[in-house]
Amino acid sequence: MSHNTPLISTVVVGLVLAFILGTLAHRIRVSPLVGYLMAGVLMGPFTPGYVANQNIANELAEIGIILLMFGVGLHFSMKDLLSVRKIAIPGAVVQITVATLLGMGLGHLLGWPIGGGLVFGLALSVASTVVLLRALQERRLVDSERGRIAVGWLIVEDLAMVLTLVLLPALAGILNGEAGQGADLSAIAMPVLVTLGKVAAFVVFMLVVGRRVIPWLLHYVAHTGSRELFRLAVFAISLGVAFGAAILFDVSFALGAFFAGMILSESELSQRAASETLPLRDAFAVLFFVSVGMLVDPAIVLREPLPLLATVLIIIFGKSIAAFGIVRLFGYPTSTALTISASLAQIGEFSFILVSLGVSLALLPDRGRDLVLAGAIISIMLNPMFFALLDRFLAKDDAKVAAKATADKAVPRVPLPETQLSNHVVLIGHGRVGKVVSAALRQSGTSVLVIEDSPGLVEQLHKDGVEVLLGNAAAPDMLQAANVAGARGLLVAIPDAFEGGQIVAKARALSATLPIIARAHSEEEIAHLKHHGANVVIMGEQEIAKAMIAQIGTGAVATA
Ligand code: AMP
């Protein structure tokens, strides 16, 4: 049966196994990523039992990359990208060079020809988009300066890899030929120029045509009022542009999707577009890790322990020390340098593509590919650990900074710094309801702390000098960081009563006496929120009705 449905069985077995092992990993306090990778190893050809279709798994992973990069583009404007170019371009170039040289050195020790070492080194030099973005998103860092630098860096690496993939076949002859004398320069120069020309043509096309057509299309669909069509439009645009970019301009899927998102980021519909892609994006990102796991032969750990160790050390330390040095050299603080280093201390999808190309061009021995694959899985597994160390370091740093810092601090980090406020009002959501409430409270001199998960609104609140935490109030540690237990009251002003219920229950667990007022739209929601511990629940529709009755009672309608 499963032979006839390789796509379905790959998706289903992949997701189910990833779910089981991811949950187990979480249970034993390891990153779920490790579980997803293990699911891949179990489904791969090197372990007994079911073997999934690798090509299908790779393509599914590619969809994950497209949706992720589209999401990043939605938070990124052209201005953001240009603002980090001064560090991202030289940073990425130097770091790629250092890592490549280290890889070539190791290749030399292992007795490979120079071409093999070059492919090996390049494969070690480029970080995985998915791993990097997942780490930044988990820590809500994408919108911070450090996050922007890391993403800009990633884009430069991506471009460098697009160039490498095009150049490698042209260079293979020269690298394989012993002397390489008499190499025709135009054989190298032409592909470079053509590729750069195509990338430039794509960017110009997107800025001139895409910038007009895509937002217009999305606005048009939004006005039809059909949620389904809007959702479809978002997927059609992200996947369509990525695919079109790859077919027509030979640009990577990731780069195409990033530009599609970036063009939409100026539209006020970008937030909605981002939330529409979230669930699918997460599912496909999981399949990405499964597909990586499938490539790896676990026996290599016993077969080649020392070369593998050296490979892992280059990925983890070689690259990150180089990146750290460059970022510091540009005058950025240690925290920024460490975040970039931790982000880059892993390799992923581009490395796989590169090594398979290297092997097929007879540049790289099979052994080199196996080392890169195993190095990838180990570095991806270790990556969350580096971020945990970074968090610990930054927490200490934060404590020092907090003493003199004012409220205009950037996006909060994990672990969240706890507020100094007490006897304040904690307000969840700063939309139509929350902003009216907070204005009135502030006017009356009450101190307010807002929790809001829309970055745009949080930025505005920062500017207005309001203390605010960015993120989902239902997320762990959020309510503690807002010192709900020491507050005089909690106002849950978000429209989703299910999420509201989770928040209320968490707050009630922190304090039995805290007055909690929540927002609802139906009788069932009122019951739900009260059941979880809300003292008072206000139903918007009832209040609208009361106000309407009051209006007609005053005779306002007759005189209007
Ligand atoms: P409105 O319905 O216009 O009052 O908007 C509700 C606001 O609450 C929006 O700005 C949302 O971004 C925000 N919001 C919704 N859910 C959450 C949540 N779980 N945590 C924090 N903010 C939220």
Side-chain angles (χ1 to χ4, degrees):
M1 192 39 198
S2 67
H3 298 298
N4 305 327
T5 56
L7 174 63
I8 299 179
S9 55
T10 308
V11 173
V12 174
V13 178
L15 288 180
V16 170
L17 269 183
F19 164 65
I20 296 172
L21 295 178
T23 313
L24 263 177
H26 185 75
R27 189 71 211 256
I28 54 170
R29 295 182 165 276
V30 183
S31 162
L33 293 192
V34 178
Y36 308 154
L37 291 167
M38 284 302 156
V41 175
L42 288 184
M43 287 166 66
F46 303 102
T47 48
Y50 171 75
V51 175
N53 184 317
Q54 182 74 53
N55 290 337
I56 290 181
N58 288 351
E59 286 198 34
L60 292 169
E62 203 69 58
I63 297 184
I65 297 172
I66 293 178
L67 294 178
L68 262 163
M69 283 303 270
F70 179 69
V72 174
L74 282 175
H75 290 293
F76 232 79
S77 66
M78 198 67 191
K79 212 173 82 218
D80 291 334
L81 194 61
L82 291 177
S83 74
V84 298
R85 72 180 185 285
K86 285 205 184 83
I87 166 112
I89 296 176
V93 170
V94 173
Q95 177 252 319
I96 289 177
T97 313
V98 171
T100 305
L101 288 176
L102 287 172
M104 286 175 84
L106 180 59
H108 182 71
L109 285 180
L110 295 173
W112 300 339
I114 189 133
L118 182 68
V119 175
F120 184 68
L122 281 168
L124 299 187
S125 74
V126 48
S128 155
T129 310
V130 185
V131 179
L132 188 149
L133 293 180
R134 279 271 316 233
L136 293 180
Q137 275 161 356
E138 254 170 38
R139 286 161 181 81
R140 298 182 287 277
L141 282 173
V142 179
D143 286 314
S144 66
E145 186 189 37
R146 287 174 282 156
R148 276 198 286 270
I149 296 177
V151 173
W153 197 295
L154 192 82
I155 304 283
V156 180
E157 282 197 354
D158 214 44
L159 281 172
M161 285 305 127
V162 170
L163 263 183
T164 308
L165 292 179
V166 178
L167 263 184
L168 212 55
L171 279 176
I174 303 166
L175 289 169
N176 273 341
E178 289 294 294
Q181 25 77 297
D184 189 358
L185 199 68
S186 69
I188 309 170
M190 268 320 273
V192 177
L193 287 179
V194 171
T195 309
L196 286 179
K198 281 183 183 164
V199 172
F202 170 68
V203 174
V204 170
F205 177 78
M206 286 305 276
L207 292 182
V208 176
V209 182
R211 204 177 198 161
R212 295 198 173 90
V213 175
I214 294 176
W216 172 84
L217 198 67
L218 212 58
H219 277 262
Y220 172 79
V221 177
H223 283 295
T224 62
S226 163
R227 226 180 255 170
E228 185 181 283
L229 266 184
F230 183 79
R231 215 163 273 169
L232 188 60
V234 174
F235 284 116
I237 290 171
S238 54
L239 298 173
V241 172
F243 191 70
I247 298 289
L248 299 176
F249 296 96
D250 278 337
V251 183
S252 68
F253 285 134
L255 212 63
F258 175 79
F259 268 92
M262 200 169 76
I263 274 162
L264 272 180
S265 72
E266 286 157 27
S267 153
E268 57 283 13
L269 288 168
S270 65
Q271 291 296 329
R272 216 179 123 195
S275 58
E276 294 295 354
T277 47
L278 263 177
L280 261 193
R281 189 180 81 185
D282 289 351
F284 279 103
V286 168
L287 289 176
F288 166 81
F289 291 105
V290 173
S291 80
V292 174
M294 282 177 61
L295 294 166
V296 175
D297 175 7
I300 191 168
V301 180
L302 303 174
R303 223 171 42 229
E304 307 239 25
L306 283 182
L308 182 59
L309 183 68
T311 308
V312 171
L313 288 179
I314 293 179
I315 300 172
I316 292 179
F317 293 109
K319 281 168 71 175
S320 31
I321 291 173
F324 181 86
I326 301 160
V327 180
R328 287 291 288 145
L329 210 68
F330 272 81
Y332 285 90
T334 312
S335 57
T336 305
L338 284 177
T339 308
I340 310 280
S341 307
S343 311
L344 296 174
Q346 38 83 14
I347 57 171
E349 60 276 12
F350 261 121
S351 318
F352 309 148
I353 303 174
L354 204 60
V355 285
S356 10
L357 184 67
V359 170
S360 69
L361 292 172
L363 282 173
L364 185 72
D366 282 354
R367 193 177 168 205
R369 179 194 53 205
D370 295 344
L371 284 175
V372 167
L373 295 178
I377 197 171
I378 294 174
S379 68
I380 294 177
M381 280 179 179
L382 292 178
N383 199 247
M385 215 177 72
F386 288 111
F387 270 97
L389 286 176
L390 177 72
D391 288 340
R392 204 172 292 175
F393 173 83
L394 292 182
K396 265 193 225 147
D397 203 36
D398 260 350
K400 271 187 254 155
V401 176
K404 49 182 174 163
T406 41
D408 67 342
K409 206 86 222 295
V411 186
R413 303 166 177 137
V414 171
L416 289 162
E418 197 171 310
T419 178
Q420 306 287 323
L421 292 178
S422 63
N423 202 27
H424 55 306
V425 171
V426 177
L427 172 63
I428 317 282
H430 205 264
R432 292 159 302 175
V433 176
K435 72 174 176 221
V436 180
V437 175
S438 91
L441 286 175
R442 281 184 287 144
Q443 204 163 34
S444 70
T446 311
S447 47
V448 182
L449 185 148
V450 177
I451 303 182
E452 168 59 63
D453 68 0
S454 152
L457 292 177
V458 169
E459 205 168 299
Q460 187 56 44
L461 284 164
H462 272 307
K463 283 190 193 137
D464 297 345
V466 180
E467 189 163 336
V468 50
L469 294 173
L470 169 65
N472 183 350
D477 298 340
M478 245 353 189
L479 293 174
Q480 280 98 324
N483 187 20
V484 161
R488 76 161 74 164
L490 171 68
L491 306 179
V492 184
I494 61 171
D496 182 338
F498 177 73
E499 212 163 51
Q502 287 179 304
I503 298 167
V504 169
K506 286 191 170 178
R508 189 48 81 218
L510 293 171
S511 162
T513 53
L514 172 79
I516 302 179
I517 305 173
R519 166 182 171 189
H521 298 281
S522 67
E523 301 289 345
E524 291 77 31
E525 289 183 358
I526 296 180
H528 177 76
L529 287 159
K530 285 207 164 156
H531 171 74
H532 281 88
N535 302 85
V536 180
V537 181
I538 315 277
M539 178 169 144
E541 285 70 5
Q542 264 170 5
E543 298 309 308
I544 296 172
K546 281 184 203 158
M548 284 181 165
I549 295 165
Q551 285 293 325
I552 197 101
T554 59
V557 176
T559 53

